[in-house]
Amino acid sequence: MIRRYLLDTGIAQDFQEDRNGVRDRAIAERKLGHRVGICVAVLGELWSGVECSAYERSLNGTRCPPLDSL
């Protein structure tokens, strides 16, 4: 039976940063034929985090503005 794993934001960040063995586990599950992914909401949260980080760096640590002002 093929299983599908949907990663939440925190676990997706662990996968992205190769923390806590998440990436190795996901790779192992994929090798067994299982599917691993994220939903659009998690993608948006990850993207928003990247945007805020870039914005903060460009303003020397100023807080990220509200999303409606971007």
Side-chain angles (χ1 to χ4, degrees), residues 2 10 12 15-17 20-21 30 35-39 50-51 61-62:
I2 294 176
F15 176 90
Q16 186 176 359
E17 299 295 326
N20 302 321
R30 292 278 300 156
R35 300 187 71 174
V36 179
I38 60 173
C39 67
V50 169
E51 288 293 310
T62 303

Side-chain angles (χ1 to χ4, degrees), residues 25-59:
R25 172 79 188 270
I27 290 169
E29 294 299 327
R30 292 278 300 156
K31 287 180 179 178
L32 294 173
H34 304 301
R35 300 187 71 174
V36 179
I38 60 173
C39 67
V40 174
V42 170
L43 178 62
E45 290 172 349
L46 294 173
W47 181 257
S48 176
V50 169
E51 288 293 310
C52 287
S53 294
Y55 186 81
E56 286 178 7
R57 281 193 302 270
S58 71
L59 294 178

